[in-house]
């Protein structure tokens, strides 16, 4: 069996890759386990030197990696380069901080000495998505390897070239062969992977359906799982907001990665007294996007990752319109070769519509009018998702109160769109998943928090 990578900008085949057999997967797992047993005994200094080298490899080969991402899933070259740079950052961050994060914690008890130590678990399986082909992997791999674990990757089937290059980064940096292993396998083979006793835990970034399936299989075999799933982030625009700032930030977040970001702003909840003015500014900002070939520097928004995903998004828009939503801009499939979809704004969005209930994973914004702050908070939380959220106001105390106490999400930002940062924990609640990535919280997900008691 094979998988193909297709360039969504022109629908042309890039390359074909042969899937591994179950026997070949088993052999790679055995190799990974053997390498792990040696790697776990290395010290942080040794691991850190290699992780810093991985950061250097990423920076030196930035254009090569960026071009692969752009051709496999359609993001602009500038955003692909920025993604590689962010991966280099996360490698440096954990190289420099892992030892501090995992330092023994001394605890006074009746023992002559008692403390908590953090030990690696073993081989960790990562099931990763296509929307940020490098970043999603590195934000898991850097802390996992620095903690002394080994990793195997099942990447999305439309970015196999990116998956191969990620393994190349670690090998070129000098990590032992087999410590980080890319597996070209089908989704059907994932269950067997999780069942394999060599796999000690699993992390997945992806859809609710995939997350539920992986979490259920992991639980069946009493293995830890970390899930980062979908989101329908709500941004509240209060009556005292800087509307120019809000419109700019909301547009950047909504169109980032052609709208294909789990933490992208998707629902914009605007108080009635500033609704018309915000909508006008928001339209102007959205219409400034330049759709086209993602390899051209002037392009600000490339195609979506696949034509079937584009078609699913358009169906969500049309179903919402049938139920009473109104198209302010966009909403039509363009006469272009490739998986293109225009920047789109929907208004009069109500409960029961896909634009209200579901995640719109593309460049479509739902703008919802509310009468006051209380209704804004109620609408923002009226979602099964709980990944990110935002609030725009000139009153920073008010904004912090709403962000801290009122919005049901793993992250709440004030006067800035939500973005991940190696220094801050990242993850969601409700159907957006559980567990955290990044910061010291992320590296603690895949270690044995072990109590030592000496009488």
């Amino acid at each position: 069996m094979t998988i193909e990578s297709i360039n969504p900008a022109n629908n042309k085949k890039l390359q074909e890759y042969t899937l591994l057999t179950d026997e070949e997967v088993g052999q790679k797992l055995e190799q990974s386990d053997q390498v792990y047993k040696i790697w776990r005994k290395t010290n942080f200094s040794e691991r850190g030197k290699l992780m810093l080298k991985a950061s250097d490899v990423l920076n030196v080969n930035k254009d090569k990696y960026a071009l692969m991402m752009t051709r496999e899933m359609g993001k602009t070259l500038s955003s692909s380069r920025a993604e590689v740079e962010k991966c280099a950052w996360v490698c440096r961050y954990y190289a420099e901080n892992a030892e501090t994060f995992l330092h023994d914690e001394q605890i006074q008890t009746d023992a002559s000495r008692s403390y908590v130590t953090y030990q690696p678990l073993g081989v960790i399986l990562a099931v990763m998505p296509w929307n940020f082909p490098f970043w999603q992997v590195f934000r898991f791999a850097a802390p996992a390897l620095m903690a002394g674990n080994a990793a195997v990757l099942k990447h999305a089937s439309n970015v196999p070239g990116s998956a191969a290059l990620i393994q190349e980064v670690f090998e070129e940096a000098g990590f032992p062969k087999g410590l980080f292993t890319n597996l070209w396998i089908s989704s059907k083979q994932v269950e067997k992977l999780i069942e394999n006793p060599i796999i000690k835990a699993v992390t997945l970034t992806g859809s609710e359906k995939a997350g539920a399936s992986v979490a259920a299989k992991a639980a069946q075999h009493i293995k830890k799982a970390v899930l980062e799933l979908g989101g329908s982030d709500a941004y509240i625009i209060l009556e005292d907001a800087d509307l120019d700032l809000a419109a700019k930030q909301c547009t950047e977040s909504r169109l980032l990665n052609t709208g294909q970001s789990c933490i992208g702003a998707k629902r914009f909840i605007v108080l009635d007294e500033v609704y018309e003015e915000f909508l006008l500014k928001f339209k102007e900002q959205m219409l400034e996007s330049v759709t086209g070939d993602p390899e051209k520097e002037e392009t600000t928004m490339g195609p979506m990752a696949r034509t079937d995903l584009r078609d699913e998004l358009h169906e969500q828009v049309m179903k919402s319109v049938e139920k009473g939503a109104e198209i302010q801009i966009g909403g039509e499939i363009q006469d272009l070769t490739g998986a293109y979809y225009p920047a789109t704004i929907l208004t009069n969005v109500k409960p029961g519509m896909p634009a209200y209930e579901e995640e719109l994973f593309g460049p479509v914004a739902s703008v919802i009018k509310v009468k006051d702050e209380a209704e804004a908070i109620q609408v923002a939380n009226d979602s099964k998702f709980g990944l990110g959220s935002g609030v725009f106001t000139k009153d920073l105390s008010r904004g912090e109160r709403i962000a801290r106490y009122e919005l049901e999400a793993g992250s709440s930002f004030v006067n800035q769109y939500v973005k991940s940062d190696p220094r801050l924990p990242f993850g969601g609640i409700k159907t957006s998943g559980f567990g955290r990535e990044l910061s010291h919280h992320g590296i603690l997900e895949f270690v044995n928090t072990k109590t030592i008691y000496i009488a």
Side-chain angles (χ1 to χ4, degrees), residues 259-305:
Q260 300 165 121
S261 171
C262 52
I263 52 167
K266 299 182 176 79
R267 294 178 296 137
F268 302 88
I269 302 164
V270 190
L271 266 63
D272 181 45
E273 54 205 277
V274 293
Y275 175 82
E276 294 297 340
E277 187 178 356
F278 171 78
L279 183 59
L280 178 61
K281 292 177 182 293
F282 191 32
K283 281 186 194 176
E284 291 173 351
Q285 290 282 333
M286 292 279 277
L287 286 169
E288 286 182 5
S289 62
V290 179
T291 301
D293 183 348
E295 293 186 37
K296 292 184 177 178
E297 294 297 337
E298 65 269 22
T299 298
T300 63
M301 192 169 75
M304 292 182 62

Side-chain angles (χ1 to χ4, degrees), residues 48-58 169 172-175:
K49 287 177 183 176
L50 295 177
M51 195 60 73
L52 287 174
K53 179 62 175 173
S55 179
D56 292 340
V57 171
L58 284 161
V169 170
E172 189 172 332
F175 284 86

Side-chain angles (χ1 to χ4, degrees), residues 30 34 100 229 233 261 273 291 407 414 425 449:
E30 290 286 350
Q34 291 304 312
T100 300
L229 308 178
D233 288 12
S261 171
E273 54 205 277
T291 301
L407 295 174
V414 180
T449 303

Side-chain angles (χ1 to χ4, degrees), residues 14 98 105 108 115 165 233 264 298 335 354:
L14 294 167
E105 180 185 354
Q108 293 297 318
Y115 60 95
L165 288 179
D233 288 12
E298 65 269 22
D335 186 21

